[in-house]
Amino acid sequence: MHTEKLDVLEEILEECAGAPLLVGYTFQSDLERILKRFSKAVHFSQAPDVLKRWNTGKISLLVAHPGSVGHGLSLQH
């Protein structure tokens, strides 16, 4: 398997310079590879307090499926 998408994601993270980043994924295999490569990544459904942690800046890389967060989710804080 190639790692080009993960390499580009790593470049984007470097460009963000610590700013929080929300990443969407389509396939379960992509999620698994992202979580394996980036130890600071948090999956949207991993913890019940994920929205609070995101809105308070405690999550720098949030990974979510668009179908799970596409309707009525507020991540604006």
Side-chain angles (χ1 to χ4, degrees):
M1 247 195 274
H2 68 84
T3 60
E4 290 179 37
K5 289 192 281 186
L6 295 176
D7 294 341
V8 171
L9 179 54
E10 188 166 356
E11 290 176 17
I12 293 170
L13 282 168
E14 290 173 6
E15 290 175 13
C16 285
L21 180 65
L22 174 62
V23 174
Y25 70 92
T26 302
F27 302 105
Q28 184 68 28
S29 60
D30 288 339
L31 170 64
E32 292 166 1
R33 292 173 67 211
I34 291 169
L35 293 175
K36 183 177 179 180
R37 179 151 171 188
F38 302 99
S39 61
K40 63 183 175 181
V42 175
H43 184 229
F44 176 73
S45 64
Q46 262 184 349
D49 64 340
V50 70
L51 290 178
K52 181 180 179 182
R53 289 174 40 218
W54 170 263
N55 286 332
T56 58
K58 294 180 180 166
I59 296 175
S60 59
L61 177 58
L62 182 61
V63 185
H65 189 281
S68 298
V69 297
H71 301 286
L73 180 64
S74 178
L75 296 172
Q76 63 190 10
H77 297 289

